[in-house]
Amino acid sequence: MLATVSKQLRSHPALIPLFFFIGGGAAMSMMYLARLGLRNPDVCWDRKNNPEPWNKMAPTDQYKFYAVNIDYSKLKKNGPDF
């Protein structure tokens, strides 16, 4: 399979950017999924030691990837402690 792909790339060099950008997009999507699985407070990997990780988040913790108009350092907690 790899030999066929390399043969096609040698005979059609215009396919090289296509493979490059599709490979880069696949790599970035896998990194984003890994970030969601490791950094998101909604995901619980260890139910024994930390069954509810969303309760231990401070209001100043930024867990979103991109915040448009929110300054997380000025937020205050508006709920009870659990």
Side-chain angles (χ1 to χ4, degrees), residues 5 11 13 64 70 72 76 82:
V5 171
S11 63
K64 291 188 175 183
I70 297 175
Y72 283 94
K76 294 188 176 32
F82 290 107

Side-chain angles (χ1 to χ4, degrees), residues 16-52:
I16 294 172
L18 179 71
F19 277 90
F20 177 74
F21 285 109
I22 287 178
M28 285 190 289
S29 67
M30 294 305 280
M31 288 189 301
Y32 183 68
L33 285 174
R35 182 190 181 279
L36 283 176
L38 296 173
R39 303 280 298 162
N40 198 348
D42 295 333
V43 178
C44 182
W45 292 96
D46 187 12
R47 284 187 277 172
K48 217 177 265 187
N49 295 328
N50 193 7
E52 297 176 343

